[in-house]
Amino acid sequence: MIIAIDGPAGAGKSTVARRLAERLGAAFLDTGAMYRAVTLACFQRGIDPSDAQACAATARSLEIGFESDGTMTVDGAPTDPAIRSEDVNLRVSEVSAHAGVRETIVAQQRAVAERLGDVVAEGRDTTTVVFPQADLKVYLDASPAERARRRAAEVGRPDKVERIEAALRARDAHDSGRAHSPLRYDPQAALVLTDGLGVDAVVDRILALVEERRS
């Protein structure tokens, strides 16, 4: 069974998807982490994030692996916390927007899912591009203010909420407006608004949807 979860930055996709995978005994696939891995490699190699050909070549050169618990490796080495660095945050939208990068990574995502079997995958195009035939599609969303508050809490900078919200709005605009695999709501996906909800409450809602599909 493939469960695909999309939504904007800061909507809680990774946390919810990981918890959901644990509850279901399924593998967790963080599709965004794969683009972060490419971005990190480009940064380390001194590649301009606007250079589409070089970024695509970098993506093709990486051997990205996933364990069932969601742990990702690149060329056999762990990637966290380096892929969560500010250098990667500043470049990932541009690197991941290149068609050549997305074609390579989408193919790898599908191969990983086929190998792992039952999968909970989250990202920004998992319902529309990567797994359009997923057994269950979910679109998680929350207001920009709520997403900024959560992100600020995660990084321990409650004083930066306004700055983080501005960055999230810019990321939304970039991800929704890019030419290749833009972030968009699939009408076939269940819309789950997470404002005011804890992780377990959101997971419970999705589990109810899973049971509906199974019945």
Side-chain angles (χ1 to χ4, degrees):
M1 183 179 195
I2 293 179
I3 299 173
I5 301 176
D6 277 342
K13 300 184 303 297
S14 293
T15 303
V16 167
R18 187 183 294 275
R19 188 77 57 84
L20 179 65
E22 291 173 355
R23 296 273 295 272
L24 290 171
F28 167 58
L29 177 57
D30 181 353
T31 65
M34 299 175 77
Y35 292 106
R36 285 179 169 275
V38 177
T39 303
L40 177 62
C42 288
F43 174 69
Q44 292 173 333
R45 298 176 187 183
I47 294 171
D48 188 327
S50 66
D51 188 334
Q53 290 188 340
C55 289
T58 299
R60 292 192 295 271
S61 74
L62 302 179
E63 183 178 338
I64 301 176
F66 265 96
E67 303 301 326
S68 60
D69 64 355
T71 301
M72 185 178 72
T73 61
V74 174
D75 297 334
T79 58
D80 279 315
I83 61 169
R84 313 291 175 182
S85 69
E86 189 63 22
D87 289 322
V88 172
N89 290 342
L90 292 171
R91 294 168 173 81
V92 64
S93 285
E94 189 168 10
V95 171
S96 64
H98 298 308
V101 172
R102 300 203 74 83
E103 289 170 2
T104 296
I105 297 303
V106 166
Q108 291 193 32
Q109 289 164 354
R110 290 171 177 165
V112 168
E114 184 175 357
R115 176 173 63 83
L116 294 176
D118 290 338
V119 169
V120 177
E122 67 89 2
R124 289 177 178 78
D125 65 347
T126 55
T127 64
T128 57
V129 176
V130 186
F131 302 114
Q133 305 302 321
D135 299 282
L136 174 64
K137 300 180 183 182
V138 177
Y139 190 92
L140 286 189
D141 204 357
S143 66
E146 174 74 2
R147 291 187 281 133
R149 183 192 64 76
R150 292 173 183 168
R151 185 62 59 84
E154 285 176 7
V155 299
R157 295 302 304 268
D159 57 314
K160 298 293 185 181
V161 171
E162 291 185 1
R163 180 178 177 181
I164 291 172
E165 182 176 344
L168 287 174
R169 288 182 181 274
R171 179 74 184 271
D172 290 348
H174 187 281
D175 289 348
S176 299
R178 68 191 179 204
H180 302 285
S181 302
L183 169 68
R184 61 183 177 85
Y185 170 62
D186 183 338
Q188 294 182 336
L191 176 62
V192 177
L193 301 177
T194 66
D195 287 73
L197 296 177
V199 175
D200 287 327
V202 177
V203 171
D204 285 343
R205 289 192 178 188
I206 299 175
L207 283 172
L209 294 172
V210 172
E211 290 306 313
E212 288 180 11
R213 295 297 190 280
R214 287 176 169 173
S215 62

